[in-house]
Amino acid sequence: MRVLLVEDEARLADQLADTLRGAGYAVDATRDGEEGWFLGDTEPYDAVVLDLGLPSLDGISILRKWRSAGRAMPVIILTARGAWSDKVTGLDAGADDYLAKPFQPEELLARLRALIRRSSGVATPEIACDGVVLDTKTAKVTVDGRPVMLTSHEFKVLSYLMHHKGRVVPRTELTEHVYAQDFDRDSNTIEVFIGRLRRKLGVDIIKTVRGLGYIVEEPG
Ligand code: CA
């Protein structure tokens, strides 16, 4: 899962980026409004954390531009405490949720998980398939109750496929949602991660659809 963070307060931005990466997200972070708009307009994100007061282009304008261009990714806005009108304006401009500063990082993570689940049509914090359970809250995976240790990239691949289970995910799409923008991407490594995941899970829940991509099939 890949998240865009647009926040200009240096300390908060660094802290949030660390928190998001620690929670297993690929993170693109910028402190500039124009750049934030451009990234959200051109890169596929699973969710966006958007501050409202930003240099060069404010958060509400960014949001309106994205929505009028048909960019539908979930967006959570960060507002100043007590600024109720910002919340109203933000939600009306197309935000899916808001958080008033200051907030606990855990609350942001919980809201992000909920937004990402909802936008992928997953209702529960645990996603299960054939004995494999991915807990989105703890970023842990078990097979028949036995914990499986995954690297952060392996987890990102499995998490994306399980959030989109029942659908064939092309390798290019997987690549775009597993790596941050500044990462040296190589779509061949996805195949390596898939191979390792199959070995570690010990059950073959990830099917290769030749020429198309990968799928975690809904059981039954
Ligand atoms: Ca700001």
Side-chain angles (χ1 to χ4, degrees), residues 168-181:
V168 177
V169 178
R171 206 200 283 176
T172 47
E173 179 182 332
L174 208 41
T175 309
E176 285 177 333
H177 288 266
V178 163
Y179 294 118
Q181 202 206 18

Side-chain angles (χ1 to χ4, degrees), residues 6-9 12 31 51-55 78 101:
V6 191
E7 165 64 63
D8 63 318
E9 278 171 52
L12 181 60
R31 294 175 191 174
D51 186 30
L52 292 188
L54 291 166
L78 306 181
K101 294 176 184 176

Side-chain angles (χ1 to χ4, degrees), residues 4-201:
L4 172 64
L5 169 67
V6 191
E7 165 64 63
D8 63 318
E9 278 171 52
R11 264 186 64 184
L12 181 60
D14 289 346
Q15 184 205 342
L16 292 180
D18 284 351
T19 301
L20 292 168
R21 290 191 181 107
Y25 295 106
V27 180
D28 291 346
T30 177
R31 294 175 191 174
D32 179 73
E34 272 296 337
E35 193 192 359
W37 162 75
F38 179 76
L39 285 170
D41 201 50
T42 52
E43 297 286 326
Y45 292 103
D46 297 294
V48 177
V49 180
L50 179 66
D51 186 30
L52 292 188
L54 291 166
S56 79
L57 189 63
D58 69 277
I60 297 289
S61 303
I62 293 173
L63 197 48
R64 289 199 175 115
K65 283 174 73 166
W66 281 341
R67 294 316 192 209
S68 66
R71 305 279 169 262
M73 66 285 195
V75 174
I76 181 165
I77 53 171
L78 306 181
T79 68
R81 190 163 58 124
W84 68 267
S85 61
D86 280 356
K87 297 169 191 163
V88 173
T89 312
L91 291 169
D92 282 341
D96 300 277
D97 199 359
Y98 64 81
L99 258 183
K101 294 176 184 176
F103 52 85
Q104 293 298 317
E106 287 74 17
E107 184 174 359
L108 175 64
L109 292 178
R111 287 176 183 274
L112 269 182
R113 284 194 295 271
L115 281 181
I116 291 172
R117 278 203 310 268
R118 234 177 287 148
S119 75
S120 4
V122 175
T124 54
E126 289 187 345
I127 310 174
C129 185
D130 271 350
V132 178
V133 176
L134 183 137
D135 187 338
T136 61
K137 190 162 169 273
T138 56
K140 296 264 183 337
V141 174
T142 56
V143 179
D144 297 327
R146 165 183 60 91
V148 178
M149 298 305 289
L150 300 180
T151 66
S152 84
H153 278 118
E154 289 161 4
F155 177 80
K156 287 182 178 80
V157 168
L158 184 66
S159 176
Y160 193 81
L161 286 173
M162 287 190 79
H163 273 84
H164 297 275
K165 70 177 174 178
R167 175 166 81 75
V168 177
V169 178
R171 206 200 283 176
T172 47
E173 179 182 332
L174 208 41
T175 309
E176 285 177 333
H177 288 266
V178 163
Y179 294 118
Q181 202 206 18
D182 51 6
F183 207 89
D184 184 19
R185 293 182 206 174
D186 176 359
S187 69
N188 289 319
T189 56
I190 293 291
E191 213 169 286
V192 176
F193 295 143
I194 296 277
R196 285 191 203 144
L197 275 170
R198 283 177 174 145
R199 277 196 299 279
K200 287 188 177 181
L201 297 174

